[in-house]
Every structure is written in C-alpha cells, then in structure tokens.
Amino acid sequence: MILQVENVWKSFNGFVAVNDVSFSVEKGEICSIIGPNGAGKTTLFNLITGHLSKDQGGVIFNGNDISHLKAHKICRLGLGRSFQRINIFPRLTVFENIQAAVLTYRGKSLNFFTSAQTLFKEETEEILDKVGLQVHSEEISGNLAYGFQKQLEIGIALASEPEMLLLDEPTAGMSAQETKSTIDLIGKIVREKGITLLFTEHDMSVVFAISERILVLHQGQLIASGHPEEVRSDPVVQKIYFGRK
Ligand SMILES: Nc1ncnc2c1ncn2[C@@H]1O[C@H](COP(=O)(O)OP(=O)(O)OP(=O)(O)O)[C@@H](O)[C@H]1O
Ligand SMILES: [Mg+2]
C-alpha cells in the first residue's frame, strides 16, 4: 500500500466539506475520485498533500506519517500533484518552467559555475519529451494553447520525480481531442515510470477509460469504491451521481 487516508475531516465555518473519509491506494494503481461539483474532491487532495490542515484524521504515504507535514516536505517524499487551476509561470518559456521545477527539486546540488541556460538541461529535456512539449520548448508558456498548459503542469509535477501523482482534473476545459491525447499521455507516463495515480475528473469517458478503481465522493463522504463496472452498477451511485432511479 502506498497511500492510506484515515478518517479525515475538514469543515469550513461549520460546513463539513470532507466527512470522515478513509481509503487506501496500492502501489502502481490508477484510481480516480469522482463526485459532483462541491463534493470535496479538491479539498481532499489539499488535505492529503498538506496544502490544507486537517481537522482530524491521518495520512500515511509510503510508510511515513505525513499527517502533519508541510506541503513541500510531502512533495519531497515523492507525492506530487497538479492543480485544478493552471499553476505555471506564464512569462517563462516552457523550457524554463520545467527547468525551474527541476531546480526547485534538486536545488541542493546547484553548481554556480554552470550557466543558467544549461542547468539540468538534460533532465529538463527528458521531461519535455515525456509530456510531448519539445517543439514548444522556447514558447512563452502563457501563450500556449490551454491543453498544452495543462500538459506543462504535468511536466512540472514530474520534475519532483514522484512515486505517486495526484492530478486534479487534468483535462478540465480541454477539447475532446486534447482530452484524449492528454489521457493517453498520462496513462503512458505513469505506466512507464510505475507511478501510482490518483486523479479527479468529471469526464466519465476519461474516468472509465483508465481507472482501475473508482472512488465516489458525495457531500464530503465516500459512498462507493470499486472496479469501474462495480461502481457503474452500484444503485446508490446511480441514484446520487448519475441521477438515475
Ligand atoms: N477555503 C474554503 N472555504 C470555504 N468553503 C470551502 C473552501 N474550500 C472549499 N470549500 C467548500 O467545500 C466544498 C467542497 O469543495 P471542493 O472544491 O473540494 O469540491 P470539488 O469536489 O473539488 O468540486 P469541483 O468538482 O467543482 O472542483 C464546497 O462546498 C466548497 O464551497
Ligand atoms: Mg475541485
């Protein structure tokens, strides 16, 4: 088991956004968390990655108790993430964005005699290659098409050499074609590198295309978890999530 979430709670001014959530993820698994808007998916991610403090509960990652660690420490332990909203440096080039992320992660070995442009050039190019952005390397990131910006974010998350990735709506706002190529890309990367993946997504075709297991969150509570077919046919999920009787 790589991730274990135990009885996690979070409320905002009395409103319970995450209500006693427990689940675990096996090493190498591809899991998704689905649920309507406001179900608590992003909040749950923030509680796991240390971007929000929990009211109660604990999180174990790779045998480490990360319940009270700061976000950057958790990232260093190998739990990477991307954000629902684009989180890049829009004025830097694509290359520079990845390079900055690699630098942040490996900063300790920085050699001041090396010129900035060549710092971690190989590592940066390898990541650019992985996320299919080599041809856009010198473009200003803010000018990239939206789908490429989301791909760049995945590259930034990869710079910390994560063992597990949490992706919050990696295809949000993408066209159908961008969605398909991004999902193919994510699937290829995580399988190649043996990265464990937990992601949230509204597009059910994406969810069912790559999830090995699906967790369903509803009003802050985990109401179902299982193989895609189990979840699809779960009467509670059908009623609450798919809106069927
Ligand atoms: N910082 C905050 N302060 C107050 N309420 C918050 C805060 N963050 C989230 N919430 C509330 O908690 C609930 C869960 O929000 P969250 O963003 O986690 O949902 P979500 O499942 O990610 O939704 P979406 O699918 O729209 O991204 C919502 O009702 C939201 O308004
Ligand atoms: Mg969200």
Side-chain angles (χ1 to χ4, degrees):
M1 204 179 306
I2 190 164
L3 182 76
Q4 203 170 342
V5 175
E6 293 167 348
N7 306 104
V8 166
W9 290 82
K10 181 72 185 180
S11 29
F12 299 107
N13 307 315
F15 170 80
V16 184
V18 171
N19 188 336
D20 199 21
V21 169
S22 302
F23 66 92
S24 55
V25 179
E26 296 294 332
K27 200 166 167 50
E29 238 187 330
I30 298 181
C31 290
S32 56
I33 299 188
I34 62 171
N37 293 115
K41 304 177 297 293
T42 299
T43 306
L44 181 59
F45 271 18
N46 287 333
L47 295 171
I48 295 171
T49 57
H51 290 86
L52 260 182
S53 64
K54 292 166 275 299
D55 294 344
Q56 281 185 63
V59 182
I60 312 281
F61 175 67
N62 243 347
N64 301 293
D65 183 353
I66 60 165
S67 311
H68 305 288
L69 293 186
K70 293 241 156 63
H72 69 276
K73 287 247 168 81
I74 294 175
C75 178
R76 281 205 167 263
L77 287 172
L79 184 57
R81 76 169 293 178
S82 77
F83 293 86
Q84 188 168 351
R85 266 183 254 154
I86 294 279
N87 197 35
I88 58 176
F89 294 115
R91 293 185 163 192
L92 295 187
T93 65
V94 170
F95 182 92
E96 287 164 344
N97 260 288
I98 302 276
Q99 186 190 36
V102 176
L103 263 172
T104 307
Y105 181 64
R106 309 203 193 184
K108 293 244 163 63
S109 56
L110 211 156
N111 174 345
F112 290 97
F113 295 101
T114 322
S115 89
Q117 288 91 331
T118 60
L119 269 178
F120 298 113
K121 191 166 185 283
E122 262 176 48
E123 290 86 342
T124 303
E125 279 174 349
E126 196 197 317
I127 294 170
L128 284 173
D129 187 49
K130 278 251 145 28
V131 295
L133 289 177
Q134 324 84 314
V135 287
H136 301 286
S137 177
E138 296 310 316
E139 284 175 42
I140 297 298
S141 304
N143 297 343
L144 286 177
Y146 181 78
F148 289 141
Q149 293 193 16
K150 296 285 281 187
Q151 269 169 242
L152 175 56
E153 283 215 300
I154 294 165
I156 291 170
L158 286 175
S160 66
E161 301 182 328
E163 273 187 64
M164 178 167 186
L165 263 181
L166 264 51
L167 302 179
D168 198 358
E169 296 194 28
T171 70
M174 287 188 181
S175 68
Q177 202 189 340
E178 285 173 331
T179 297
K180 181 166 184 336
S181 64
T182 302
I183 283 305
D184 290 347
L185 186 79
I186 291 170
K188 184 165 170 277
I189 292 169
V190 298
R191 288 192 182 104
E192 249 175 43
K193 299 208 149 208
I195 297 172
T196 309
L197 177 65
L198 180 65
F199 70 104
T200 70
E201 183 60 62
H202 283 289
D203 184 332
M204 286 302 123
S205 65
V206 170
V207 168
F208 284 95
I210 70 163
S211 307
E212 291 160 0
R213 194 154 56 92
I214 301 175
L215 306 161
V216 186
L217 204 61
H218 177 66
Q219 296 178 350
Q221 286 180 302
L222 211 54
I223 57 155
S225 151
H227 293 291
E229 287 319 310
E230 278 174 71
V231 168
R232 207 203 291 264
S233 57
D234 184 312
V236 182
V237 175
Q238 293 222 339
K239 186 161 171 249
I240 290 175
Y241 191 69
F242 297 106
R244 292 189 206 125
K245 294 240 169 75

